Amino acid sequence: MRSPGVPSVNRGGYPVLLMVLASTWLGCKPASAPEDPEHARRGRMLFQRGQSIRGTPLVGLLAPERVELGGEVAACARCHGPAGRGSTEGGVEVPDITPGALFHSRPRAVGELEDRSRPAYTRDSLLRAITEGRSASGRLLSVAMPRYELDDLARQELLAYLRELGERPDPGVSPTTLTVGAALPLTGRLGPAGREAAAVLRAVFDDVNARGGVFRRRLELVVEDDAVQAPSPRADATERLLERGVLALVGSLRRGPQPSDAKLTREGAPLVLPLALRGGTSDVDSPVFFLYPDEPSLARLAVQWLASNQEPRLRRASLVVAHSGDDAGEAWTRAVKDEMTRRELPPITELVLPRGLPDAWPSRPPVAVLYAGTPEELGPLLRWLEARAPSVLVLAPARLAQPQVIGTSSMQLRFLTPAGLGERAPGLEVFSEFMARHGLEQGHAAFQLGAYAAARVLVEALTRTGAEVTRASLLLQLESLRDFDTGVSPPLTFGVNRRVGVQGGQLATLEPSTGRLVPASEWLPLSP
């Protein structure tokens, strides 16, 4: 996070330090000395994300108060740009720090740079600049330039990367193509759905390529089979794609956290709108961007809605959470408890089914039941409630809106969905025309719609990135998307601290005759 009271201009002095560090490399090693490729790879993470591969954040101190900046805020790419070409940050001109610009003396001033003309750095003057904030010309560098704390290994890694900055393209980038990957099930039970999703991704990219590609580069898709198989020493599909050298991943199937997530983060490779059928959530600095919130977030939304409409009752009566005792149910319950605690509301009653009935049922009717169990247990619970507490509201995730499960129940049953209904429902005319034009038949709708949204978002971010595309620049453009219309979902917005595009949902009822969800509330924004 940005330090309180420190505007973005405080990073404006960082370019001078990078000149210093890069020139130190020149003073310490002959220009012809071979670089360790592993050092350069690790230095890339320092430059682009402000963190070492060992998990240590880049730290700089702002003179004279020595205000600390760390991590992503201090990342070089934030000011200089992912390719190191320079920018203007908070009104301060940030220079080009590619090798062609760094490794030469500057005989005259460039723009409004405080360092102005300077000789080539020697080892001593470079070290003085790092520790004392003085340039090779003897000028006192701007107080906006952090004095960075780098150990010997981090210094070697950053300098190795600066040596090749802007001269070696990121994985998946060539003069004629941009290669992206998708980890999808191509065999097994979900094989048909995975193949349908891959077909949609390719069709979107075919349309882009027919119009000339993205800045004259064709989009190419590589798919690795992500079918669940017996335990194997073989890396998972995401890791295999990273090893093949893709720029980003798009529309991959996501069943939950993966061992390869650490590698995604280390390499800064974006994963754009994975097909997470129960939604998702990410850390603020994660490269994974989701379309919809996960089910625990919907549980929080349910509590927020109940508190806004029935807070007096919530303070007098219990709120029941029913689940099956699995990890998903435990996560749902924790979210409810956390939101109730945050609002200083009474403790909940927890039912673990099926053994929780009737022993744990509260003596007086609860305000509502928040259900996150299996479809098989929902029917018996509804029948039990219908006989004993028919007026109790039941709230459940939309994945459980199955006519064969609910039957003829007359309970006050409402489903939580972030997909958009009524006035929030996306018009699917463009998508339907797209499917017909490419000869694609409707199949597993959730996979096909999710793949279409993912491809649209990726293409938009790549287009905004420009010709000098890198993984880091793609991440920055994804973070900048605001109210983007995918054509198949509510508008999505991302940000530096926001990795879920749609933040909110609606209550809905199930129309038995059609099996469709019908809106039962206005759009409910999800509070942080």
Side-chain angles (χ1 to χ4, degrees):
M1 295 177 61
R2 191 187 302 276
S3 300
V6 180
S8 60
V9 69
N10 283 343
R11 292 175 281 146
Y14 190 41
V16 180
L17 176 71
L18 291 182
M19 296 177 192
V20 167
L21 293 176
S23 302
T24 301
W25 179 86
L26 289 178
C28 295
K29 297 176 70 175
S32 60
E35 280 298 329
D36 184 340
E38 185 64 15
H39 279 170
R41 187 183 71 81
R42 292 178 175 182
R44 181 182 182 279
M45 188 171 179
L46 273 171
F47 183 93
Q48 303 286 6
R49 300 184 63 79
Q51 189 169 22
S52 77
I53 197 169
R54 296 166 294 281
T56 306
L58 187 64
V59 174
L61 303 175
L62 293 174
E65 294 86 359
R66 297 181 68 78
V67 177
E68 182 176 309
L69 297 179
E72 194 169 1
V73 172
C76 321
R78 285 287 175 178
C79 290
H80 294 281
R85 303 293 183 189
S87 65
T88 299
E89 176 73 14
V92 174
E93 191 174 343
V94 183
D96 184 334
I97 57 167
T98 55
L102 279 180
F103 302 154
H104 296 85
S105 62
R106 191 167 61 217
R108 57 186 176 84
V110 179
E112 299 298 324
L113 291 176
E114 293 188 30
D115 194 29
R116 301 187 183 278
S117 61
R118 58 159 175 80
Y121 279 95
T122 66
R123 185 177 187 280
D124 289 343
S125 63
L126 295 170
L127 290 175
R128 182 181 63 186
I130 293 171
T131 58
E132 301 175 13
R134 288 191 179 274
S135 76
S137 63
R139 294 178 184 274
L140 185 65
L141 300 176
S142 169
V143 294
M145 189 199 80
R147 279 55 168 168
Y148 283 85
E149 298 180 343
L150 292 171
D151 59 30
D152 289 341
L153 184 55
R155 189 177 302 172
Q156 291 178 44
E157 292 167 349
L158 181 57
L159 298 178
Y161 181 67
L162 288 171
R163 177 66 176 172
E164 62 182 40
L165 178 61
E167 298 187 351
R168 180 180 298 179
D170 271 13
V173 179
S174 82
T176 58
T177 60
L178 297 173
T179 302
V180 298
L184 289 165
L186 302 178
T187 57
R189 180 176 61 87
L190 290 177
R195 293 192 294 272
E196 289 169 358
V200 170
L201 291 171
R202 287 198 172 95
V204 174
F205 296 162
D206 286 345
D207 283 350
V208 174
N209 292 335
R211 297 192 297 268
V214 180
F215 290 93
R216 300 185 180 181
R217 289 187 175 108
R218 290 180 53 81
L219 286 173
E220 291 190 355
L221 178 69
V222 177
V223 181
E224 282 280 349
D225 190 359
D226 194 35
V228 177
Q229 299 173 350
S232 167
R234 191 183 184 201
D236 69 34
T238 296
E239 191 162 344
R240 297 198 302 272
L241 287 166
L242 292 174
E243 290 171 353
R244 292 180 66 169
V246 297
L247 171 64
L249 287 88
V250 57
S252 296
L253 180 63
R254 180 96 173 168
R255 300 178 180 87
Q258 302 284 326
S260 55
D261 287 354
K263 188 167 185 178
L264 272 177
T265 299
R266 284 197 307 271
E267 297 198 8
L271 170 52
V272 181
L273 271 55
L275 306 180
L277 301 186
R278 294 193 181 188
T281 186
S282 291
D283 296 334
V284 295
D285 60 348
S286 169
V288 184
F289 292 78
F290 290 95
L291 177 57
Y292 292 124
D294 61 1
E295 289 187 359
S297 296
L298 294 179
R300 290 181 48 240
L301 182 66
V303 175
Q304 292 173 11
W305 177 76
L306 288 168
S308 65
N309 289 276
Q310 302 190 50
E311 183 170 351
R313 285 194 63 202
L314 274 180
R315 296 194 178 280
R316 295 193 308 269
S318 177
L319 183 65
V320 172
V321 176
H323 61 93
S324 304
D326 56 7
D327 291 344
E330 294 292 344
W332 173 275
T333 304
R334 284 195 302 272
V336 174
K337 289 180 177 179
D338 290 346
E339 190 66 26
M340 294 286 284
T341 299
R342 189 167 75 93
R343 295 174 176 272
E344 299 181 346
L345 293 170
I348 66 169
T349 297
E350 183 176 358
L351 298 179
V352 179
L353 300 175
R355 62 183 182 275
L357 287 172
D359 298 339
W361 187 253
S363 57
R364 57 187 301 181
V367 176
V369 175
L370 272 60
Y371 178 80
T374 65
E376 293 75 17
E377 290 169 342
L378 178 57
L381 173 64
L382 292 177
R383 290 190 291 273
W384 190 91
L385 290 173
E386 199 164 21
R388 295 164 178 81
S391 63
V392 172
L393 178 66
V394 179
L395 300 171
R399 65 179 171 83
L400 296 171
Q402 304 173 23
Q404 67 273 23
V405 170
I406 298 167
T408 59
S409 173
S410 60
M411 292 290 302
Q412 294 191 68
L413 179 59
R414 300 290 183 272
F415 297 99
L416 296 153
T417 175
L421 301 171
E423 294 182 357
R424 298 281 299 192
L428 299 179
E429 295 82 4
V430 173
F431 175 74
S432 298
E433 186 274 332
F434 160 85
M435 294 286 285
R437 177 159 44 85
H438 287 278
L440 300 176
E441 296 183 359
Q442 181 175 341
H444 296 79
F447 278 69
Q448 292 173 317
L449 293 170
Y452 183 80
R456 287 281 309 276
V457 169
L458 176 65
V459 170
E460 178 68 16
L462 285 171
T463 302
R464 295 186 184 194
T465 296
E468 292 188 353
V469 59
T470 66
R471 285 171 170 172
S473 63
L474 181 55
L475 281 168
L476 291 174
Q477 292 305 323
L478 286 166
E479 289 178 348
S480 72
L481 286 183
R482 300 288 184 274
D483 295 319
F484 179 72
D485 183 8
T486 67
V488 295
S489 72
L492 58 81
T493 295
F494 295 119
V496 174
N497 297 317
R498 176 169 169 169
R499 291 299 194 260
V500 179
V502 177
Q503 291 280 7
Q506 289 171 274
L507 302 185
T509 57
L510 183 66
E511 193 175 71
S513 59
T514 64
R516 297 174 57 186
L517 288 173
V518 179
S521 76
E522 299 297 324
W523 182 258
L524 307 173
L526 178 63
S527 300

